[in-house]
Amino acid sequence: MATLQFEEGVNRPQAKASHCRQQLLVNILDGMANVKPNATYAHAPISPVGYDKGFRRITYHRLANAVNGLGWWITAQIGRSASFDTLLYLGPNDIRQTAIIFACIKAGYKCLFTSHRLQLCDTQSLLRSTSCKAILTSDPLGFHIPSIKDGCPLPIYQVPPLNTLLVEDYPSYPYKKPFEQAKHDPFLVLHTSGTSSTPRPMVLKNDWLATYLQSLHAPSPPGFECLESRMRGCRVFVMLTPYHVHGVKSFQGANLDITVFGALTNETPIILPPAEAPVNVQTLIQGLGTIDADVCYVPPHFIEEIANNQKYVEIVTSRASSLVYAAGKVSEAHADIMSAKMEFWGRYGATEQGTVPSLRALGGWDCTMYNYIIPHPTAGWQFRPYSSSNDETIYEAFIVRDVENLKVQPVFTLFEELEEYPTHDLFLAHPRIPGAYKWCGRTDDTISLSTAANVNPMIMEHGLDQHQHIKGVLMIGNGRPRPALLVEPNDCAVSNQSFIDGIWESVEKLNRAYFVDHRILKSYIIVTNERERSSCTRRNCGHCMNHAQIDMLRMSM
């Protein structure tokens, strides 16, 4: 169902469905707080580290009150902004993530979220490129803030505690702009993944957000339903981490896609894990033991761990009706286990376009479609041949401007000069269902791990290409928890172990450019020959290598 809609600056419900009107999300929040103050926005654990104290039900009244409190706090600490200055927020996985966005908007700022996995230099680059004015945080000594400040000397402000914001009452912080006046104002700043270059800030404006939300509410063609409709009004247990930079299967704001966009426009109550607990499968399983959820929304590497544990499978399937993943690939073996037992599917998108509105045929759930998308016809997607081999065609996806449907094509609010937008994502067509495609790689050869991290292989490959004992090298690992290395020696007479020992020092030096869990382990180096390496592509690396070696590697992963 679509939520009540509100006139700009007027807190009364309108009869029009959400896909018919462009809205400011800040007005929807204030409208809900006035018209449906006791409706549930979220269930959040009272304890920051566990579920032993139960859950706190957070209403729209309390959320809007927290926004007002933070808005007045920002104004008192920093002053109002007349030019949408940027404020970086770093904090735990609690509702302050949502509240700070709207508080910044009311005080005239725009909020920047960054991934906790970014290199320090990349975070500092984002602060400089956005002319960030200050850092807001729950912990001035946490989140690597002292190191960030060393490179970018900025004032740091500690936001009020969560309990204070939820318990104390604050006067309303007014926001009076209508949509037409505010449509080009910034809503939020995210950033690109930085896999092929320094992460670039991406300012999402109100017109982008309104267009994106309308795209998810567009009426489905006869005989189809939009997958998004299966989550509307449901209780969604959100296990995506804060500031998660998502891979090709989702966009950087995939966490916000549920906790902010979906919650407010669909009246979808969210369930949060403990704010300071590890965001892992064990935390999800413990949570499902204390509260029922309709949908579990998880990163892809959760699927493997759940599917490999029969007890976890029983808990998830008995306590939720749907399992949805975003931000990467899942292995088909593990996906098959889950899809046979419950509604299971993935969401695809990117920061520039949001999640793609994808259709499913009515008349029963097809458990084989979890990896496929059928883009809504109004989205303007075209799949064009990119390459062919072994009777298999790979397609690149383009989004083509459609004058009649521009209000549901968010990417063209960012790139107004373009007639078409190349996604650089590669797909395979469904063998039987027309219009259905599954993601299989990137034109830039980025490796997308199952942990939702993107890895640039060029540093490792270019570095080892210069090694005197190496004839060829390829980093692989799409859909796996960490990458591996396929290496061909110059001298095939040398034993594999001697060859690996001989190049290991060089691999270790190049590993320093990567996060610890993205580095090549010695046991993840596969020695191969020219025929095997040349037939391998990063998108289909499991199809063509020495199968005994690959099977052994997969078991170790």
Side-chain angles (χ1 to χ4, degrees):
M1 67 177 179
T3 188
L4 295 173
Q5 298 297 294
F6 301 90
E7 289 286 2
E8 296 83 353
V10 180
N11 297 323
R12 64 174 185 267
Q14 299 298 301
K16 294 183 178 180
S18 60
H19 66 267
C20 296
R21 302 191 70 250
Q22 291 187 312
Q23 297 285 307
L24 295 176
L25 215 55
V26 65
N27 288 332
I28 291 179
L29 172 58
D30 283 342
M32 285 292 294
N34 281 275
V35 175
K36 291 190 172 183
N38 294 318
T40 301
Y41 164 70
H43 299 274
I46 295 172
S47 168
V49 296
Y51 301 101
D52 55 304
K53 296 182 180 179
F55 282 82
R56 172 193 282 123
R57 187 175 74 91
I58 301 171
T59 65
Y60 277 92
H61 169 69
R62 297 319 304 177
L63 174 62
N65 180 72
V67 169
N68 290 329
L70 281 171
W72 290 118
W73 175 82
I74 290 172
T75 303
Q77 297 291 322
I78 313 174
R80 279 191 58 85
S81 172
S83 55
F84 307 110
D85 291 318
T86 302
L87 302 177
L88 170 67
Y89 177 69
L90 296 172
N93 192 14
D94 60 40
I95 70 153
R96 282 176 293 185
Q97 287 185 79
T98 300
I100 200 74
I101 297 172
F102 294 102
C104 286
I105 290 171
K106 287 192 170 187
Y109 294 89
K110 60 182 184 292
C111 185
L112 166 65
F113 284 156
T114 64
S115 169
H116 66 288
R117 303 181 68 88
L118 283 186
Q119 302 282 7
L120 178 61
C121 60
D122 289 337
T123 299
Q124 293 169 345
S125 173
L126 283 170
L127 295 180
R128 288 190 291 268
S129 61
T130 58
S131 301
C132 188
K133 186 172 183 178
I135 298 175
L136 311 182
T137 180
S138 61
D139 181 5
L141 298 179
F143 307 101
H144 307 292
I145 289 175
S147 298
I148 293 172
K149 187 179 179 182
D150 286 344
C152 290
L154 292 171
I156 298 173
Y157 299 91
Q158 186 169 3
V159 299
L162 178 61
N163 283 340
T164 300
L165 293 169
L166 291 176
V167 172
E168 291 192 9
D169 290 323
Y170 301 97
S172 175
Y173 197 122
Y175 182 90
K176 299 181 179 180
K177 284 187 177 181
F179 180 82
E180 284 302 316
Q181 183 181 342
K183 65 181 180 181
H184 297 309
D185 292 353
F187 177 81
L188 181 68
V189 188
L190 301 178
H191 59 80
T192 58
S193 63
T195 53
S196 57
S197 62
T198 301
R200 304 185 312 278
M202 185 156 296
V203 179
L204 301 182
K205 299 182 180 180
N206 285 321
D207 61 344
W208 180 94
L209 180 58
T211 304
Y212 170 56
L213 294 175
Q214 285 185 302
S215 74
L216 298 182
H217 288 89
S220 300
F224 289 89
E225 67 172 344
C226 186
L227 275 178
E228 302 301 318
S229 67
R230 303 191 78 88
M231 290 196 288
R232 291 173 191 160
C234 294
R235 289 155 60 102
V236 182
F237 206 135
V238 184
M239 290 298 298
L240 294 175
T241 58
Y243 327 120
H244 206 135
V245 172
H246 297 291
V248 345
K249 296 286 282 184
S250 191
F251 70 99
Q252 192 222 347
N255 187 27
L256 303 172
D257 197 28
I258 298 296
T259 60
V260 180
F261 309 154
L264 269 65
T265 62
N266 294 320
E267 295 185 52
T268 297
I270 61 172
I271 302 170
L272 296 174
E276 298 175 14
V279 183
N280 56 29
V281 172
Q282 290 72 32
T283 301
L284 171 65
I285 297 299
Q286 292 167 8
L288 289 174
T290 60
I291 191 169
D292 286 326
D294 299 307
V295 180
C296 293
Y297 190 53
V298 302
H301 67 280
F302 274 37
I303 308 303
E304 179 176 354
E305 192 169 346
I306 294 171
N308 282 333
N309 188 313
Q310 184 57 36
K311 181 180 178 181
Y312 289 174
V313 172
E314 292 173 357
I315 291 173
V316 172
T317 55
S318 64
R319 304 291 287 191
S321 59
S322 300
L323 182 61
V324 181
Y325 69 92
K329 290 184 66 177
V330 297
S331 72
E332 293 189 1
H334 299 113
D336 287 342
I337 293 173
M338 301 311 302
S339 64
K341 296 179 178 293
M342 65 192 309
E343 290 189 0
F344 173 73
W345 75 90
R347 304 177 85 215
Y348 168 89
T351 305
E352 297 87 344
Q353 66 200 24
T355 299
V356 177
S358 185
L359 303 174
R360 285 291 183 274
L362 296 173
W365 184 259
D366 186 343
C367 65
T368 67
M369 289 290 289
Y370 54 82
N371 265 340
Y372 288 89
I373 62 170
I374 304 176
H376 196 290
T378 60
W381 278 59
Q382 289 185 7
F383 296 88
R384 301 174 185 173
Y386 179 80
S387 65
S388 298
S389 61
N390 298 325
D391 299 324
E392 187 173 63
T393 300
I394 295 174
Y395 299 85
E396 181 180 359
F398 290 79
I399 305 174
V400 179
R401 179 186 291 268
D402 183 346
V403 176
E404 294 183 0
N405 289 301
L406 278 180
K407 286 191 175 182
V408 289
Q409 291 187 308
V411 72
F412 295 114
T413 67
L414 290 173
F415 306 103
E416 296 179 357
E417 74 285 0
L418 296 182
E419 290 301 315
E420 62 180 32
Y421 175 78
T423 68
H424 302 295
D425 286 331
L426 302 175
F427 292 81
L428 293 170
H430 194 286
R432 298 181 308 279
I433 301 177
Y437 294 82
K438 69 176 179 180
W439 179 85
C440 65
R442 290 277 299 172
T443 59
D444 57 11
D445 270 343
T446 294
I447 295 174
S448 183
L449 301 179
S450 68
T451 58
N454 287 337
V455 179
N456 183 353
M458 298 309 168
I459 298 173
M460 182 66 68
E461 291 179 0
H462 289 173
L464 291 181
D465 269 339
Q466 311 304 315
H467 197 286
Q468 58 179 335
H469 298 310
I470 294 177
K471 186 174 183 180
V473 60
L474 189 72
M475 185 186 280
I476 60 175
N478 263 332
R480 300 293 166 183
R482 67 184 310 134
L485 210 58
L486 191 65
V487 189
E488 179 189 353
N490 272 324
D491 184 2
C492 294
V494 179
S495 71
N496 287 356
Q497 191 56 54
S498 296
F499 171 69
I500 292 173
D501 290 341
I503 67 172
W504 180 240
E505 182 177 354
S506 298
V507 174
E508 279 192 307
K509 289 181 179 178
L510 293 167
N511 264 338
R512 296 170 189 166
Y514 297 93
F515 288 110
V516 172
D517 52 347
H518 300 173
R519 293 174 181 172
I520 299 296
L521 303 180
K522 200 170 187 178
S523 58
Y524 280 46
I525 298 177
I526 302 173
V527 182
T528 185
N529 59 47
E530 182 177 9
R531 180 188 62 80
E532 292 165 339
R533 182 177 62 83
S534 63
S535 65
C536 180
T537 65
R538 195 161 286 114
R539 54 185 171 270
N540 291 315
C541 61
H543 297 172
C544 55
M545 293 184 289
N546 181 310
H547 291 290
Q549 291 176 322
I550 271 295
D551 289 343
M552 187 178 300
L553 175 65
R554 283 175 174 166
M555 288 186 352
S556 69
M557 294 170 86

